[in-house]
Amino acid sequence: MAGARMAAVGAAWRGTWARMGRTKHLASDVMQTPLNRCLSTLDITLLGIGHMVGAGIYVLTGTVAKDAAGPAIVLSFFLAGLASLLSALCYAEFGARVPKAGSAYVYTYVTIGEFWAFVIGWNIVLEHMIGAASVARAWSGYVDSLCNGAISNGTAELVGGLPSEFLADYPDFLAFAVTLVYCALLTMGVKGSSYFNSIFTVVNLFVITFIILAGLTYADVSNWSTGGGFAPYGTSGIVAGAATCFYAFVGFDSIATAGEEARDPAKSIPSATVVSMLVVTVGYVMVAATLTLMVPYYTLNPAAAIPDAFAAHNATWAKWVVSVGALSGMTTTLFGSLFTLPRCIYAMAADGLLFSWLARISDKTKVPTLTLLLCGFFSALIALVFDIEKLVEFMSIGTLMAYTIVSASVIILRYQPASRCNIKSPTHIATTPTPASPTPTPFTDDPTKDGDEGGELRRWCGWVSILTRGREDGKAVMWAVVVFTLSTTVFLIALQYSFPSLTQPYPVALAILLAIVALVGVVMSVVVIGAHKQNQLELSFRVPFVPVLPLVSIFFNVALLLHLNPMTWIRFIIWMAIGLLVYFFYGQYHSREGEPVSSYSTLLSDSTPASAGVGGAGVLGSVQQTLSSVTAKIASSAAAAAATADRHRKDNDQRPIVEEEEEEEEDEDEEEERRDKVKRRDL
């Protein structure tokens, strides 16, 4: 009886482990995906570079140098690249943990929960749709400038202007057409379209190299000392320039979105992310330095800074070379937005949060063709009627929110106990786990070393339990991250909105009080995080210097969020109101979160994060509640298997003894007949 019960329990545990896919190297499992897994590390790297190096390097450089930072734009680009790199490193670790389509949406899903994942995904959809439309507008405007305004003037004469101040001056049919053409190219399949992107990205990189090498031949170091010197706008100008330049690096998340189409995502995603960020940062810094060395910054033409700089040295022929690079860069940026957008929608639809038909994959091309065409049409429609300035204002809020949550999630995962670091992912992919040990293995098996299990207090930090109040391992760190984010927000608001009124004592006193309280919250939350041990799970890439780098990333992102235009927040609220209607009237009723755990996971499971986030059970969802849910499922499966074994045993015990003896005799007769047949066959 005991043997049967133990066998049943063992079978239940083995089945549960198999369903959860608990392997040592989860991220490198062979994933069964309807998408085509064909992209190499080089393909994904060029995808990221192409998405980041677009119109910004040809337009943004002149604008920031003349109006914000002067020659110190070099430092502005460096600081913006550093801030973006912090977020990119966090994305790279998640790419190693969770190599799936959906980028920040998926990372939020597996760490925090469904509701917050929907919030991030819903905003990312709008970000990329507006991003594609704005780049299409920039592409059209650049071509129009090469034609001396013939396209815009002709359209205005034939069609006339649009009747609202919130719309563009005239409908841009060229932007509409180019968006649909690039969308059609993407329907060819991911490999064919990646060749297209790689060609234009390489052309753009050659043009950037030409600008740097040719421009330095006209360099004059004295241009950095005239007109107010190297930093004519001071430190504030450098920081303001960095805030503007930060958006030139938005686009590396397209690398993470390609997780389901990479051959080896656990290695390709981190490598491509880091390499592309370094290449783009060096490119921006060098072009900015070259431009401000060629001509004094105050003589730059923001609309055509680089061609005019060459023209100032009688090299007007360079205008056409630069134009080829600008059009190539904007083409790859538009390609990157149209590549990322449908895959995010596909991931959300496959999890039941959006309409299921949006998750259909073409059998021939292995891409979400219907979703791609729909996204392309709406992006083209936005580009047709909206002005680029109106579009750019709304491009940043969702991206910064995604960066903040991904950085916070890295800290939360690092401080969860290693034995519990297996959770549910979105259900749109199943995996075939490779045979391995049933639990993730730390780097060291020495229990005396810090970070062996993770989540518990260090031996010399027992006094911190006064602050954590005996919370379970990992949960105290989760709440410390929440406190850090909120305290940082309050601290920056106090600095930004209260201190300018220095002539009025009461606002200053209130600002100082808020800043001190918030600063105490920041310090205490950092102390609580640092007092806990990290787990040491083996990953192909890990963010260095955790929790410092992710916390600095959160600080930068919150600061940039607070500098957004108030109208951007109003548009965000309206867009979120529409999204919440979709979620509560469709998504929560069709969600696949309650289905059996997919075999691809890293940390969270199928509790109800939506209720945790909305109903108040927890701001970031309940990690411990989730883990308890999985444990309860294991226990219930084991109990059910044991009960089945008991029923079989009782049935056998209740059978008549005579019947058992007759069956034994029949078995012996059958065995003798089998032996006789074997002997006759041998003879």
Side-chain angles (χ1 to χ4, degrees):
M1 180 179 69
R5 184 185 297 271
M6 291 300 295
V9 172
W13 272 92
R14 287 192 297 272
T16 305
W17 284 117
R19 286 193 300 273
M20 292 179 65
R22 273 197 161 178
T23 61
K24 182 177 180 179
H25 299 289
L26 240 160
S28 55
D29 291 346
V30 181
M31 302 176 68
Q32 298 173 353
T33 169
L35 300 176
N36 186 15
R37 192 173 289 286
C38 60
L39 297 181
S40 65
T41 302
L42 179 61
D43 294 330
I44 299 174
T45 303
L46 291 176
L47 175 65
I49 293 174
H51 198 178
M52 285 185 281
V53 183
I57 203 166
Y58 299 97
V59 178
L60 188 65
T61 307
T63 302
V64 175
K66 183 174 183 178
D67 301 330
I73 185 179
V74 175
L75 299 180
S76 296
F77 269 121
F78 178 78
L79 292 176
L82 180 61
S84 300
L85 181 62
L86 297 177
S87 297
L89 291 174
C90 297
Y91 269 76
E93 177 167 322
F94 264 104
R97 289 181 182 269
V98 191
K100 300 179 71 173
S103 186
Y105 160 75
V106 174
Y107 304 162
T108 307
Y109 197 118
V110 301
T111 310
I112 298 176
E114 180 187 270
F115 174 76
W116 291 105
F118 179 86
V119 171
I120 292 299
W122 185 250
N123 281 283
I124 288 177
V125 167
L126 183 63
E127 295 289 326
H128 287 298
M129 194 175 296
I130 292 178
S134 63
V135 174
R137 270 275 178 174
W139 194 98
S140 172
Y142 204 92
V143 172
D144 184 47
S145 67
L146 294 177
C147 300
N148 296 320
I151 298 176
S152 58
N153 293 333
T155 304
E157 291 178 3
L158 293 174
V159 180
L162 294 174
S164 174
E165 62 177 344
F166 297 103
L167 302 178
D169 295 334
Y170 63 92
D172 194 335
F173 293 104
L174 180 58
F176 181 86
V178 75
T179 304
L180 293 182
V181 169
Y182 289 164
C183 183
L185 290 173
L186 281 166
T187 61
M188 297 187 307
V190 64
K191 193 61 180 177
S193 55
S194 71
Y195 287 144
F196 175 83
N197 173 77
S198 299
I199 290 172
F200 279 91
T201 301
V202 170
V203 170
N204 190 21
L205 291 176
F206 272 117
V207 172
I208 292 173
T209 304
F210 162 79
I211 292 172
I212 295 171
L213 296 180
L216 287 177
T217 61
Y218 303 110
D220 184 359
V221 180
S222 63
N223 288 329
W224 277 11
S225 58
T226 60
F230 179 74
Y233 298 96
T235 304
S236 60
I238 296 174
V239 175
T244 304
C245 295
F246 177 84
Y247 305 112
F249 295 90
V250 172
F252 61 80
D253 57 335
S254 60
I255 297 174
T257 307
E260 281 185 45
E261 290 155 304
R263 294 173 188 166
D264 187 3
K267 294 182 179 179
S268 296
I269 301 299
S271 301
T273 301
V274 175
V275 171
S276 62
M277 282 298 305
L278 292 176
V279 170
V280 171
T281 302
V282 171
Y284 273 122
V285 169
M286 290 300 298
V287 168
T290 301
L291 182 61
T292 52
L293 284 172
M294 289 177 68
V295 294
Y297 75 93
Y298 49 83
T299 64
L300 289 173
N301 175 15
I306 297 176
D308 285 3
F310 278 100
H313 295 278
N314 298 319
T316 54
W317 54 269
K319 170 183 177 180
W320 300 104
V321 179
V322 174
S323 298
V324 170
L327 291 176
S328 297
M330 286 184 277
T331 295
T332 56
T333 302
L334 178 58
F335 176 91
S337 294
L338 292 175
F339 177 90
T340 304
L341 176 58
R343 282 157 178 80
C344 184
I345 294 178
Y346 155 75
M348 297 176 70
D351 292 328
L353 302 183
L354 296 178
F355 306 109
S356 59
W357 51 269
L358 293 171
R360 294 174 185 171
I361 300 295
S362 171
D363 294 332
K364 183 177 181 180
T365 60
K366 302 299 181 183
V367 296
T369 305
L370 182 61
T371 305
L372 178 57
L373 293 175
L374 188 65
C375 294
F377 174 76
F378 279 108
S379 297
L381 192 62
I382 294 173
L384 178 67
V385 298
F386 284 98
D387 186 41
I388 187 172
E389 293 181 2
K390 303 292 190 303
L391 296 174
V392 171
E393 289 179 0
F394 197 58
M395 279 184 58
S396 54
I397 188 167
T399 302
L400 290 172
M401 288 180 63
Y403 290 177
T404 302
I405 288 185
V406 170
S407 299
S409 298
V410 166
I411 302 174
I412 293 173
L413 290 189
R414 283 291 190 92
Y415 288 91
Q416 294 301 311
S419 59
R420 297 179 181 177
C421 278
N422 265 29
I423 44 173
K424 188 184 99 172
S425 75
T427 53
H428 62 275
I429 296 180
T431 61
T432 303
T434 55
S437 58
T439 56
T441 304
F443 287 125
T444 174
D445 293 324
D446 184 1
T448 64
K449 294 184 179 180
D450 285 346
D452 190 38
E453 173 65 8
E456 66 271 17
L457 282 172
R458 302 179 188 273
R459 287 192 300 272
W460 50 272
C461 294
W463 58 272
V464 178
S465 60
I466 300 174
L467 299 175
T468 61
R469 297 183 179 180
R471 295 185 183 275
E472 298 178 20
D473 293 347
K475 196 169 184 180
V477 172
M478 182 188 73
W479 283 106
V481 172
V482 176
V483 172
F484 176 86
T485 305
L486 295 178
S487 300
T488 298
T489 304
V490 173
F491 179 75
L492 292 174
I493 289 175
L495 293 181
Q496 181 176 353
Y497 294 106
S498 298
F499 274 112
S501 302
L502 294 177
T503 58
Q504 302 179 15
Y506 294 108
V508 172
L510 178 61
I512 294 175
L513 179 62
L514 286 176
I516 292 175
V517 172
L519 192 59
V520 170
V522 168
V523 173
M524 296 307 295
S525 58
V526 172
V527 169
V528 169
I529 295 172
H532 288 77
K533 298 179 182 179
Q534 296 184 34
N535 62 59
Q536 298 294 328
L537 300 181
E538 293 182 4
L539 298 171
S540 59
F541 179 83
R542 290 165 59 90
V543 178
F545 307 113
V546 172
V548 176
L549 292 189
L551 290 177
V552 174
S553 177
I554 292 173
F555 182 89
F556 274 122
N557 295 329
V558 171
L560 292 173
L561 278 169
L562 295 177
H563 278 82
L564 294 177
N565 192 307
M567 286 301 299
T568 302
W569 285 99
I570 294 174
R571 297 187 186 102
F572 166 76
I573 293 172
I574 295 173
W575 177 249
M576 277 311 307
I578 299 172
L580 292 178
L581 290 176
V582 174
Y583 178 79
F584 287 115
F585 286 97
Y586 180 86
Q588 69 172 352
Y589 294 107
H590 297 82
S591 171
R592 299 179 61 186
E593 190 182 27
E595 295 183 4
V597 180
S598 65
S599 58
Y600 165 76
S601 57
T602 321
L603 181 60
L604 203 55
S605 83
D606 53 352
S607 63
T608 54
S611 62
V614 179
V619 177
L620 292 179
S622 176
V623 175
Q624 304 303 327
Q625 192 178 38
T626 288
L627 300 172
S628 300
S629 174
V630 174
T631 305
K633 282 192 173 185
I634 296 173
S636 62
S637 299
T644 302
D646 286 341
R647 283 198 300 271
H648 287 306
R649 178 184 55 76
K650 290 179 181 178
D651 291 340
N652 292 333
D653 290 343
Q654 292 173 358
R655 294 171 59 189
I657 297 177
V658 175
E659 182 180 342
E660 291 182 0
E661 292 176 352
E662 290 176 355
E663 287 185 0
E664 290 177 0
E665 292 177 358
E666 290 176 0
D667 292 339
E668 291 176 359
D669 293 338
E670 290 177 359
E671 181 65 17
E672 289 180 1
E673 290 179 3
R674 189 184 64 78
R675 291 173 182 172
D676 291 339
K677 288 180 181 180
V678 172
K679 289 180 180 179
R680 286 195 297 269
R681 184 186 63 190
D682 293 339
L683 292 174

